[in-house]
Amino acid sequence: MATQAERNAATREALRQAALSQLVQFGYAGTNASAICHAAGVTRGALNHQYPDGKVGLIADLVETMFCEQVVHYYKDGYCQPLELVKAMLNALYRDPENEMQLVMMDLWLSMRGDTKLEQVVGPVLYQGTDNLWRCFSPLGQSEVDTLAQLVRTFITGLSVNRLNPNMSAAMARQQIKLMLELIELALTPSAKPMDELASIAEY
């Protein structure tokens, strides 16, 4: 027989999975507690028992769990170099442009601007998770490789926002990711033009 702790853990996991599914399908604006509970097979009382803040408390737990999984995945061998991290992320996004975490995090980040409770409960968890995920980046990084990694990081953020646009197909995302990966390799090729010259060409 399962212990109370095990039953609580199972309930929270069912609620997290249900919330993730709802967020992916309908976005935060279209996600409600009743639908989550129905999908998870639990009562509203069970949701409120596990999460006193209700739906937003559950979403905060989901966000923390997803970030923790990502940190473990990318930092499994300890320290991760910035360029290694962004290239690994690009390859993951190329394999799965419909990446649920990217879609959900961007939707929540945008939704926080119009929802005070969401911002108060989920905001700190999302920002801390983001800091943990990008922790290998140094604010003092001045090398060309550091600049390249920051550029790719900005690209990933922009791509994630654009994936919320229904006109941005998975095929289009893959084309852009493929081009960015090719540009990274070009920038790192010893015979390539200096990065400042490449930047001036891009500006032109």
Side-chain angles (χ1 to χ4, degrees), residues 76-90:
K76 59 182 177 295
D77 297 323
Y79 183 73
C80 184
Q81 295 288 344
L83 194 57
E84 292 174 354
L85 176 62
V86 292
K87 287 175 67 176
M89 287 182 172
L90 283 178

Side-chain angles (χ1 to χ4, degrees), residues 18 30 42 44 54 59 65 69 80 86 88 97 115 123 127 136 157 160 168 171 173 190:
V42 303
R44 285 289 293 273
I59 291 174
T65 299
E69 290 172 351
C80 184
V86 292
D115 190 311
Y127 296 135
C136 62
T157 301
S160 299
M168 178 71 167

Side-chain angles (χ1 to χ4, degrees), residues 13-131:
E13 178 60 19
L15 285 166
R16 283 194 295 266
Q17 291 301 317
L20 176 60
S21 178
Q22 292 288 310
L23 288 167
V24 170
Q25 291 183 67
F26 309 112
Y28 177 73
T31 296
N32 63 74
S34 295
I36 291 173
C37 291
H38 178 74
V42 303
T43 65
R44 285 289 293 273
L47 168 63
N48 293 327
H49 174 72
Q50 298 294 334
Y51 302 100
D53 285 315
K55 180 181 73 171
V56 292
L58 164 60
I59 291 174
D61 183 29
L62 172 64
V63 167
E64 181 176 18
T65 299
M66 293 176 78
F67 269 115
C68 285
E69 290 172 351
Q70 290 290 296
V71 169
V72 169
H73 174 70
Y74 288 115
Y75 292 84
K76 59 182 177 295
D77 297 323
Y79 183 73
C80 184
Q81 295 288 344
L83 194 57
E84 292 174 354
L85 176 62
V86 292
K87 287 175 67 176
M89 287 182 172
L90 283 178
N91 281 298
L93 286 171
Y94 185 83
R95 291 190 299 271
D96 179 22
E98 305 290 352
N99 183 281
E100 294 177 340
M101 180 173 179
Q102 296 288 336
L103 293 173
V104 168
M105 296 305 171
M106 286 299 109
D107 179 52
L108 291 174
W109 180 66
L110 292 170
S111 297
M112 283 193 297
R113 280 148 175 73
D115 190 311
T116 302
K117 187 173 183 181
L118 180 69
E119 197 280 330
Q120 291 175 341
V121 178
V122 178
V125 179
L126 191 150
Y127 296 135
Q128 183 61 59
T130 300
D131 287 346

